[in-house]
Amino acid sequence: MDARLFNQKIQTTYKQAALLYKRTKVASSEQREELLEQSLEELRITLEELHVAEEEILAQNEELAIARSQVEIERQRYLDLFEFAPDGYIVTDATGKIREANRAAAKLLNVPQQFLVGKPLINYVPSEQRQAFRIQLQKLDRLQQLEEWELTFCPRQGIAFDAAVTVSSMYDASGNLKGWRWLIRDITARKQAEAAIRAVQLQNLQLQEAAKLRAHFLAIMSHELRSPLNAIVGFSQLLLRQTQSALPQTQENMVSRILNSGKHLLVLIEDILDFSKVEAGKLTLKLEPLNVVDLVIATTEEMHCLAEQKHLKLQRSFAIKSSIISNDSVRLRQILLNLLSNAIKFTEVGKVEVRVWELGSDRIAIAVEDTGIGIAPEDLQSIFQPFRQGNQTLTRQHGGTGLGLAITDSLVKMMGGKISVESKVEQGSTFYVELPRRVREQQ
Ligand code: ADP
């Protein structure tokens, strides 16, 4: 029941009381008694109705009070959300003057909250960006909402910071612009991270470029070095052959040393050239059917002389039914030569052995085993990396570039195989190469 109805009831009661009063004036004493009774009854009913109405109003009042307190709680909640939000919230009027600002906004702009109110927001935009700021606001009237607008803010006596701003327009009931709501998020950290990423990307590009240049340089240099070296090797060979008897012994020795050093240099240059090709991804395999047993025999024959010079036994053993495989004979020979020359280089007494056997129907294994100086456990992984050698003092004694195993490893991987090593210091090393019987083109 509303207040209007309650008033009506009281009015009706008044009117009835006035009517009764009028009637009692003109009525006889008998009639008066009857009227009194009747009036009392009416009065009782009216009072009862009023009582019900009063109860209803009380209940309604209670509901209203509860609803009001709920509204108050909600209002407080929203105020807290606004006030304690981690991002800056600002409300400006249609002229851009700040009407409300939360704590985060005050902190960002380095101005106490109460002093922010009334100040134009544009005051905190750097002067060179103000024109663009005004133009953007004019556009906003049509857009209603603008998200992720990147702006720079200049806090009072502080350092300018980058912000991502979301602005939404507010309108009154007749559709006129009332003001704007601003959400200001400090994105300095994000901007710094983006700049760092850009710097790393640039560095990456520069490194890639440098790697390309290095590979190119290596390829050209190796090529350029090879031509004069070929002449040195060729002519010293010729000299030795032609003048074998005519030259005094010391000069013959000198020519032999020129020849040997030249050959050694050629091998090193070949290694560098191969390595730069592998690095540049320019090395391709020429696949063909070949007999792996024949290849191993031919390669060990080539190394026979070297092994003999050091009084080492050079052995081989085969446990393979079908010796025909598909691979690149030049590169497979290169792998074997690298492993064999290392085995001979690092072995002073004992033997070097090559073993070939089958691993199921589609893979084969080759092992090159020696009884040499072995490899320290801490060097076992790094020896496959380019330019990395085991014990540096030993290597200096034995020479080498530290590229042989890196090239071997890359070649084995290109063939879809894998290489591993087992070794014990002072007892010897075994290098295992596992290869598919049929190397595929894409590998
Ligand atoms: P290089 O022989 O030119 O030094 P490699 O890449 O062929 O380069 O070998 C890297 C290193 O691995 C060698 O310097 C040596 O320390 C170690 N190494 C390779 N093979 C053997 C082996 N059979 N016995 C002992 N050490 C070896």
Side-chain angles (χ1 to χ4, degrees), residues 268 271 338-347 368-370 372-376 379 382-392 394-396 398-408 421 423 428-431:
L268 296 185
D271 270 3
N338 272 344
L339 296 179
L340 274 170
S341 63
N342 273 348
I344 295 170
K345 185 160 74 171
F346 294 106
T347 305
V368 177
E369 191 175 345
D370 66 56
I373 58 167
I375 303 160
D379 291 332
S382 61
I383 54 168
F384 291 103
Q385 289 168 15
F387 307 109
R388 291 292 282 271
Q389 300 181 315
N391 185 332
Q392 292 289 329
L394 277 175
T395 316
R396 287 300 115 226
H398 292 277
T401 53
L403 282 176
L405 284 181
I407 295 169
T408 305
V421 58
S423 184
S429 317
T430 309
F431 284 81

Side-chain angles (χ1 to χ4, degrees), residues 12-198:
T12 328
T13 316
Y14 264 124
K15 276 182 197 156
Q16 277 176 344
L19 198 70
L20 200 68
Y21 181 70
K22 255 192 207 164
R23 280 195 203 150
T24 43
K25 270 197 161 173
V26 288
S28 64
S29 63
E30 235 170 74
Q31 279 172 323
R32 265 191 205 145
E33 212 166 297
E34 201 181 316
L35 264 173
L36 196 64
E37 216 171 290
Q38 198 185 332
S39 309
L40 276 174
E41 181 57 20
E42 270 179 29
L43 200 63
R44 192 186 59 76
I45 292 170
T46 313
L47 274 176
E48 231 173 54
E49 273 181 20
L50 278 178
H51 186 65
V52 170
E54 190 193 7
E55 295 259 294
E56 225 171 287
I57 281 181
L58 277 176
Q60 274 179 359
N61 271 349
E62 222 166 282
E63 276 170 25
L64 209 65
I66 291 170
R68 248 197 219 131
S69 80
Q70 270 170 353
V71 167
E72 181 54 30
I73 290 170
E74 281 297 291
R75 201 182 70 90
Q76 196 53 47
R77 205 164 73 86
Y78 281 107
L79 260 179
D80 286 352
L81 278 179
F82 175 81
E83 191 61 15
F84 300 109
D87 295 320
Y89 278 106
I90 284 179
V91 178
T92 61
D93 61 18
T95 66
K97 272 197 188 127
I98 299 174
R99 290 280 159 247
E100 280 175 72
N102 70 349
R103 283 173 194 226
K107 203 169 157 211
L108 282 174
L109 300 178
N110 198 25
V111 181
Q113 255 171 304
Q114 67 270 30
F115 296 126
L116 263 183
V117 175
K119 300 257 170 22
L121 181 60
I122 201 167
N123 282 8
Y124 304 99
V125 174
S127 45
E128 65 278 8
Q129 286 191 20
R130 286 186 188 162
Q131 187 57 17
F133 180 85
R134 284 193 200 97
I135 294 171
Q136 191 64 275
L137 275 192
Q138 279 164 9
K139 282 192 207 154
L140 225 156
D141 201 9
R142 286 180 309 245
L143 286 175
Q144 296 193 349
Q145 170 128 350
L146 183 66
E147 277 174 40
E148 287 287 310
W149 173 16
E150 282 194 13
L151 259 177
T152 308
F153 279 105
C154 287
R156 196 192 53 159
Q157 294 167 354
I159 302 162
F161 66 92
D162 291 312
V165 180
T166 300
V167 201
S168 38
S169 310
M170 300 185 295
Y171 301 94
D172 63 15
S174 36
N176 300 318
L177 182 72
K178 214 168 71 170
W180 290 288
R181 283 197 199 95
W182 303 73
L183 163 66
I184 301 168
R185 180 165 294 162
D186 184 350
I187 53 164
T188 313
R190 190 177 92 191
K191 284 269 163 185
Q192 281 167 352
E194 281 170 4
I197 288 173
R198 272 198 301 276

